[in-house]
Amino acid sequence: NFAAVALADARARVKGIKFDTPTVTYASLNLAAAIFDNAYMALYTALGPAGFWHTSQMFNDDDFHLRLIKPAIGSLTVSVLTFLTTLAVRKRIPFKVAVWLNVALASVGPWIVLLWHKLLDFDEMWFPQFVFDADYAYTIPAPEIQGAFAALVAR
């Protein structure tokens, strides 16, 4: 059975992982990033680009430019991680170097990209996209999402 074989293979691959500080730190940061990313993308999907970036742009017009740059930098970070892994697998760089660079980039890089606006202007809110403007007419653009949202609100 496929599921049993996949489970056995997964257990074999994680057999040597230790419960040490770097592993716990990396896993914790990864979990926090995954939860935040899902909340961020769910809100973006529900509100659409205009609604999602409205409050952010209202407080700081530079966020318009940042919202164009952040996805590109995030994508570049993932590409660099993939490239480092490829170099390590092909034995062009030591595997330990690739692992440490991967941990550093994957653990810290996305947070730097996400919070870049704080580096430019520390007085700006941490996550202005999650602050709602009571005077703005938010709309949910996709009909499928409108229906799902209406069902949630009706409960």
Side-chain angles (χ1 to χ4, degrees):
N1 144 351
F2 175 76
V5 172
L7 184 60
D9 288 347
R11 285 188 177 146
R13 283 193 301 273
V14 298
K15 200 171 209 165
I17 294 178
K18 295 179 177 70
F19 194 70
D20 56 359
T21 302
T23 302
V24 172
T25 302
Y26 183 76
S28 299
L29 287 171
N30 226 348
L31 177 63
I35 291 169
F36 183 84
D37 186 53
N38 280 292
Y40 198 79
M41 294 314 295
L43 189 62
Y44 181 86
T45 301
L47 298 178
F52 184 76
W53 291 105
H54 165 73
T55 305
S56 182
Q57 190 170 5
M58 184 175 67
F59 289 109
N60 184 349
D61 201 44
D62 286 338
D63 280 352
F64 174 75
H65 304 292
L66 288 176
R67 69 182 175 185
L68 300 175
I69 294 169
K70 285 181 178 185
I73 299 298
S75 179
L76 179 62
T77 302
V78 171
S79 297
V80 168
L81 293 172
T82 305
F83 181 66
L84 286 171
T85 304
T86 302
L87 289 177
V89 168
R90 293 182 179 177
K91 300 189 184 332
R92 301 287 187 211
I93 62 173
F95 190 74
K96 285 185 178 183
V97 171
V99 167
W100 281 107
L101 287 172
N102 191 312
V103 168
L105 281 172
S107 298
V108 179
W111 292 103
I112 291 172
V113 170
L114 180 66
L115 299 173
W116 188 258
H117 64 282
K118 290 296 279 184
L119 296 173
L120 298 178
D121 179 8
F122 199 77
D123 292 332
E124 189 174 346
M125 295 177 196
W126 282 98
F127 301 107
Q129 300 85 350
F130 290 99
V131 178
F132 293 98
D133 178 8
D135 297 328
Y136 183 75
Y138 290 97
T139 59
I140 298 175
E144 312 82 46
I145 297 172
Q146 286 178 357
F149 187 72
L152 284 174
V153 172
R155 287 184 183 181

